[in-house]
Amino acid sequence: PETAWANNVRPGKKNVFPNPSFEETTVPGLPDYYHGAFVLAAPGQARFGENAIVLTRRADALAPTPLNWSCAPQHDQPAPYVLSFWAKGAQGGEKLLVRHKASQTQTTIVLTDAWRRWEFPALVIPTRQKPDRDDFLVYLMNGTVWLDGMQLEAGYQATEFAD
């Protein structure tokens, strides 16, 4: 949308993620700044606001269902950031793979059917060294999950969610 910043970061905010609770939908049903297969806004099932992201991996899918976004803080030196979000599964036992591209680290988390906050600290590399704008990627390995309250903030530990 016309309110987007360069690299889709909200400078000056604690939470630099754009549209962190998915309320902005230029195209109805599709949250601004996010993309991936089978990504839908789900009114009425959110932890914050009215919308949440719903990811569903079909049983016949050959690959995990991705959730991607464009959010790359700009720095001259590596800087510590922490990604955090709230997630729950439809039944419990659903798995998400969270990957930090620059460090090539990844973590698999197993969800329950209750909302829980997850956090992933990493060093965001200098802008000139980035091959693209996605620092973190989330992949759904099985089932259906809801995500809300995306937060990317400077530091090593997540603080209270801020929209």
Side-chain angles (χ1 to χ4, degrees):
E2 64 278 355
T3 58
W5 293 85
N7 294 314
N8 292 329
V9 174
R10 301 183 310 167
K13 296 229 180 210
K14 176 181 90 166
N15 182 3
V16 299
F17 243 108
N19 199 16
S21 60
F22 316 112
E23 304 307 312
E24 297 172 45
T25 55
T26 301
V27 176
L30 297 174
D32 295 347
Y33 305 101
Y34 298 85
H35 52 278
F38 310 105
V39 177
L40 304 171
Q45 299 179 359
R47 171 102 170 118
F48 301 99
E50 295 295 318
N51 295 326
I53 291 285
V54 178
L55 294 176
T56 298
R57 181 166 182 207
R58 296 188 337 245
D60 62 346
L62 299 176
T65 302
L67 174 61
N68 301 310
W69 54 82
S70 296
C71 182
Q74 307 298 291
H75 296 285
D76 292 332
Q77 300 295 320
Y81 273 79
V82 61
L83 168 70
S84 62
F85 57 81
W86 289 81
K88 70 175 183 173
Q91 299 178 340
E94 294 84 355
K95 294 180 182 176
L96 289 175
L97 175 80
V98 181
R99 181 173 179 230
H100 179 246
K101 290 175 75 172
S103 65
Q104 296 297 303
T105 58
Q106 57 188 37
T107 303
T108 299
I109 59 175
V110 180
L111 305 178
T112 68
D113 62 355
W115 285 108
R116 177 181 166 189
R117 191 173 193 200
W118 300 87
E119 59 183 76
F120 308 90
L123 284 177
V124 171
I125 63 173
T127 307
R128 66 185 176 283
Q129 297 174 9
K130 289 182 183 179
D132 55 43
R133 297 188 309 173
D134 296 325
D135 287 306
F136 292 91
L137 301 171
V138 174
Y139 297 96
L140 173 62
M141 306 308 286
N142 63 304
T144 298
V145 302
W146 286 261
L147 299 171
D148 203 357
M150 303 295 287
Q151 184 154 298
L152 184 63
E153 61 186 305
Y156 293 98
Q157 189 169 17
T159 61
E160 184 175 349
F161 173 71
D163 200 353

